Amino acid sequence: MTGTVRHSFIEVNGVKLHIAEQGEGPLVLLLHGFPESWYSWRHQLGPLAAAGYRVVAPDQRGYARSEQPSAIDSYSLLHLTGDVIGLIHALGEERAVVIGHDWGAPVAWVTAMLRPDVVRGVGGLSVPPVLPAGLMPLSVSRERYGDRFYQVHFQQPGLADAELARDVPSAFRRILFGGSGDSPSAQTGPPGPWTVPDNGSLLDAMPEPEALPAWLTEADIKAFATDYAGHGDRAFTGGLNWYRNIDRNWELLAPFHGRRIDMPALFAAGDRDMVIGLRGADDTLRHVEQMAPRLHSSTILPGCGHWTQQERPDDVNALLLDFLAQLPSSR
């Protein structure tokens, strides 16, 4: 039986994590990105469960219904990958397939790099594997995109936190629409980097949409905002603290420089995704092939923006199911 989505809490590494779960069978973990939650995988839980998998989508450390440690350095990739391994074992499993989107993709890639004995297959949506530490160092981002690049802007504790928490539903509408393939800036191809306008604030670059696209409803906005409400004016602080560990991740993971992804892998992204625009589709796909020699498939979805599995659920589900079906039948 696939049943309905079950919600529960599991303590992992001293942090209480909320999980959404559906189905029985080999474990598949779905890791969301910023600023999202388990709800980002609402279209994947049922179809994967119906195909015979136990599908678990956690609110990752600091997000939505999960606990939010106060210390910034509690959000390094070693903490985040530790949560993935701890969650797999807390669920009573020894191995799992791990799929991530946006920030969830670096967590998935790095977990696979560090623990190939536990991760039997790995997939990333939107963000390719930048090994060993997930994202480019801040010095590289500053040089390429300037001090107003969003990842640089996020570094000052409290600044972006307040800008985003001022009106949580509005923040979700702006960011989800602004990063999608339906936004005006994406109509001729992937938009440029997200930068803070001169004399403006973070969200000034993403105006309120006049209408939501077909894949996103006000009920969806409410679901995200409601899950974030428990953290009050720190609604986005947990997720922002992930960005505040970018350079620390490079220091901590330096011993793993040169490592690759050793197990079957999947990559998919939209051709209107800002992340693809920063590198270019051809260069991105070549990079993924180099980092993941056992790549099962890499796909660029036409007309799709950054929110891959939300904008194009049927396409993503088909890719995931094909990938899972090709893996050795081992739990």
Side-chain angles (χ1 to χ4, degrees):
M1 289 183 64
T2 61
T4 58
V5 177
R6 306 182 296 276
H7 295 268
S8 61
F9 290 88
I10 296 181
E11 184 167 313
V12 176
N13 299 323
V15 178
K16 187 168 67 174
L17 299 180
H18 164 256
I19 66 169
E21 178 177 0
Q22 190 168 356
E24 302 293 339
L27 179 61
V28 179
L29 284 188
L30 303 177
L31 306 178
H32 66 79
F34 180 88
E36 302 176 82
S37 71
W38 74 272
Y39 190 76
S40 301
W41 299 100
R42 61 195 177 277
H43 301 301
Q44 284 68 50
L45 288 163
L48 269 60
Y53 299 97
R54 182 186 184 187
V55 192
V56 175
D59 288 337
Q60 296 200 76
R61 172 183 295 235
Y63 280 92
R65 303 186 207 177
S66 290
E67 283 190 334
Q68 190 181 98
S70 58
I72 291 175
D73 61 7
S74 293
Y75 296 86
S76 76
L77 268 170
L78 290 182
H79 291 87
L80 304 176
T81 58
D83 288 347
V84 173
I85 298 301
L87 180 57
I88 292 169
H89 293 155
L91 291 167
E93 303 286 352
E94 294 298 322
R95 307 188 74 201
V97 177
V98 183
I99 308 291
H101 167 257
D102 185 75
W103 247 116
V107 176
W109 295 124
V110 174
T111 303
M113 179 191 75
L114 295 175
R115 294 300 305 269
D117 59 318
V118 176
V119 180
R120 66 186 188 94
V122 63
L125 305 181
S126 177
V127 179
V130 179
L131 302 177
L135 297 178
M136 293 185 299
L138 290 172
S139 60
V140 174
S141 296
R142 281 192 175 95
E143 181 179 351
R144 292 183 180 179
Y145 312 119
D147 287 337
R148 305 188 76 81
F149 184 54
Y150 77 103
Q151 293 180 14
V152 177
H153 182 77
F154 286 174
Q155 297 308 305
Q156 182 177 331
L159 179 58
D161 315 49
E163 292 173 325
L164 295 173
R166 190 170 295 120
D167 185 335
V168 174
S170 176
F172 274 109
R173 277 192 296 271
R174 289 167 179 252
I175 293 172
L176 292 175
F177 178 73
S180 77
D182 297 285
S183 70
S185 62
Q187 294 309 300
T188 58
W194 183 12
T195 57
V196 181
D198 292 338
N199 301 316
S201 66
L202 179 67
L203 292 176
D204 288 341
M206 294 184 173
E208 278 271 10
E210 295 182 3
L212 293 176
W215 60 270
L216 184 66
T217 69
E218 282 296 339
D220 297 329
I221 298 297
K222 182 178 180 180
F224 282 117
T226 299
D227 277 352
Y228 272 58
H231 294 299
D233 60 2
R234 292 174 58 86
F236 295 89
T237 298
L240 290 167
N241 283 342
W242 290 35
Y243 290 92
R244 294 164 185 155
N245 280 274
I246 289 175
D247 285 346
R248 183 178 290 109
N249 291 334
W250 283 95
E251 296 173 4
L252 294 172
L253 291 163
F256 300 94
H257 183 76
R259 287 289 299 269
R260 298 292 184 266
I261 302 298
D262 296 329
M263 71 284 300
L266 164 81
F267 177 73
D271 67 352
R272 296 181 181 179
D273 189 333
M274 178 193 76
V275 177
I276 298 303
L278 296 179
R279 183 188 286 268
D282 291 342
D283 187 40
T284 297
L285 294 180
R286 283 193 295 268
H287 174 80
V288 175
E289 291 171 358
Q290 292 170 358
M291 293 294 102
R294 296 181 63 187
L295 187 67
H296 168 73
S297 66
S298 56
T299 303
I300 299 296
L301 298 170
C304 181
H306 182 66
W307 314 107
T308 324
Q309 77 274 27
Q310 297 186 70
E311 294 184 52
R312 300 291 287 276
D314 291 343
D315 291 329
V316 169
N317 292 347
L319 291 169
L320 293 179
L321 289 169
D322 179 68
F323 175 61
L324 292 169
Q326 301 304 314
L327 295 175
S329 56
S330 169
R331 294 176 72 113

